[in-house]
């Protein structure tokens, strides 16, 4: 079976469309992120909070005000302990 460039392009775009739909509809397996660093900055969280509902840090961890703002902006709960 030989596919034309248009058919192949349609197949690829259809697969990508379906995968995106499944990922958007799928519930998050683990909606929590545990951070072990003693100092939690925006750099610590960069690229790690998509789909997260809560971030857990140690009781003694220092969390910067910018992190508090970012979590609040995304509706993410900060948990200690």
């Amino acid at each position: 079976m030989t596919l034309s460039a248009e058919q192949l392009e349609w197949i690829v775009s259809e697969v990508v469309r379906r995968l995106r739909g499944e990922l958007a509809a799928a519930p998050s397996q683990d909606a929590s992120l545990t951070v072990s660093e003693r100092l939690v900055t925006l750099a610590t969280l960069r690229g790690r909070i998509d789909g997260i509902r809560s971030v857990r840090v140690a009781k003694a961890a220092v969390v910067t005000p910018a992190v508090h703002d970012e979590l609040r902006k995304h509706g993410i709960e900060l948990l200690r302990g």
Side-chain angles (χ1 to χ4, degrees), residues 49-50 52-53 69-77:
I49 61 171
D50 289 338
I52 296 297
R53 290 189 216 145
D69 292 344
E70 189 72 9
L71 295 179
R72 196 173 305 117
K73 181 172 94 174
H74 292 283
I76 299 172
E77 182 179 15

Side-chain angles (χ1 to χ4, degrees), residues 60-72:
V62 175
V63 180
T64 65
V67 167
H68 283 283
D69 292 344
E70 189 72 9
L71 295 179
R72 196 173 305 117

